[in-house]
Amino acid sequence: MKVNISKPRKFVTDGVFFSEISQLFEKELVDNGFSEVELRKKPFKIEIIIKGTKTQSIIGHKGRRIRELTRLIEKRYSFGEQKIELFVEKISNRGLCANSQADLLRFKLLKGIAVRRACYSIIRNAMESGAKGCMITVSGKLKAQRAKTMKFLEGYMIRSGNPTEMYVRKCTRHCFLQQGVIGIKVSIMLPWDPMGSIGPKKPLPDVITVFESRKNF
């Protein structure tokens, strides 16, 4: 029996489904280089593309991990067999991935590397990969008993408007140290790419291109 559903309710249910799937993968694949998830709806099934840096660890031994995640999603949302399919895609440019850089910074802080040195290494890696700007915010008990916030910024970074949804990639991680919890927030601004491989195809609205005037013969 087909159930009619209004468009606003459908948008809400799709958004809730995407949020729950993203939170599930962030929790289960936090140590496996998870970056982001993409949904592709087809007439008879839903394709979920998991993007990450360590594809083999996400798939598991002989595909065991990916099959477990598929069965978990089928039971949670009461999908039938062959109604949902999971794929794994490797990220081409790791330096422009905010999730990957935030995890790398968290691992460096757990190893005992100084905060300033670790943050500047992440910023240098992102800028060398082609990013227009990078901002890192670290808050918590960094050196003394009193908590404080340190902010590191390089390049160009937009913080408001609709272009932030297309150009800025953000990620938040928590680092559990002996002195307490340290919060990490990494923001990377992607470059404009007409091909759409490393950045959005649509240019920024404030960019003005001046063409050469044509000579009238």
Side-chain angles (χ1 to χ4, degrees):
M1 182 178 178
K2 187 177 180 180
V3 179
N4 294 326
I5 184 172
S6 62
K7 288 185 178 180
R9 187 181 293 274
K10 187 178 185 303
F11 289 147
V12 172
T13 53
D14 291 345
V16 171
F17 176 71
F18 179 77
S19 300
E20 290 183 353
I21 291 296
S22 300
Q23 290 181 2
L24 172 65
F25 291 149
E26 285 181 1
K27 184 178 179 180
E28 294 291 333
L29 307 175
V30 63
D31 296 329
N32 302 110
F34 171 75
S35 174
E36 60 181 349
V37 64
E38 181 182 350
L39 297 180
R40 295 177 184 173
K41 288 193 174 183
K42 294 193 173 182
F44 299 103
K45 64 179 179 179
I46 299 176
E47 294 182 354
I48 301 177
I49 295 91
I50 304 173
K51 298 182 180 180
T53 55
K54 303 176 183 177
T55 55
Q56 191 59 40
S57 60
I58 295 176
I59 296 173
H61 180 64
K62 295 182 179 180
R64 180 180 179 183
R65 188 83 177 275
I66 203 73
R67 287 196 300 269
E68 290 178 352
L69 292 173
T70 305
R71 299 295 178 269
L72 181 63
I73 295 174
E74 287 177 352
K75 290 182 179 179
R76 167 66 178 83
Y77 297 98
S78 301
F79 286 121
E81 293 185 0
Q82 305 299 327
K83 292 293 183 180
I84 189 169
E85 194 170 359
L86 269 66
F87 298 94
V88 180
E89 181 180 338
K90 189 172 184 179
I91 295 177
S92 58
N93 198 336
R94 187 176 179 180
L96 297 178
C97 177
N99 297 56
S100 177
Q101 298 303 312
D103 291 332
L104 183 59
L105 179 57
R106 183 169 66 91
F107 292 145
K108 287 188 176 184
L109 295 180
L110 289 174
K111 289 181 180 179
I113 301 178
V115 177
R116 191 179 299 272
R117 179 183 175 186
C119 291
Y120 277 122
S121 65
I122 298 297
I123 290 177
R124 184 172 62 253
N125 187 19
M127 298 302 291
E128 290 177 355
S129 299
K132 291 193 67 176
C134 181
M135 183 175 65
I136 299 177
T137 305
V138 183
S139 60
K141 295 181 180 179
L142 304 177
K143 293 182 179 180
Q145 287 295 323
R146 190 177 182 88
K148 65 177 182 178
T149 301
M150 298 179 68
K151 186 176 292 186
F152 305 89
L153 175 64
E154 184 174 345
Y156 177 62
M157 179 69 63
I158 56 176
R159 307 188 188 184
S160 62
N162 185 51
T164 56
E165 299 181 1
M166 296 187 299
Y167 278 88
V168 181
R169 297 290 181 266
K170 298 179 181 180
C171 180
T172 303
R173 289 287 185 267
H174 298 89
C175 184
F176 298 92
L177 300 178
Q178 186 177 4
Q179 63 267 26
V181 182
I182 292 179
I184 301 169
K185 185 176 181 180
V186 178
S187 302
I188 298 176
M189 183 171 176
L190 303 177
W192 173 62
D193 184 14
M195 302 301 295
S197 58
I198 62 174
K201 293 182 180 180
K202 187 176 180 181
L204 290 170
D206 60 345
V207 174
I208 300 175
T209 305
V210 180
F211 298 98
E212 295 182 359
S213 60
R214 294 182 179 182
K215 296 181 179 180
N216 297 323
F217 295 99

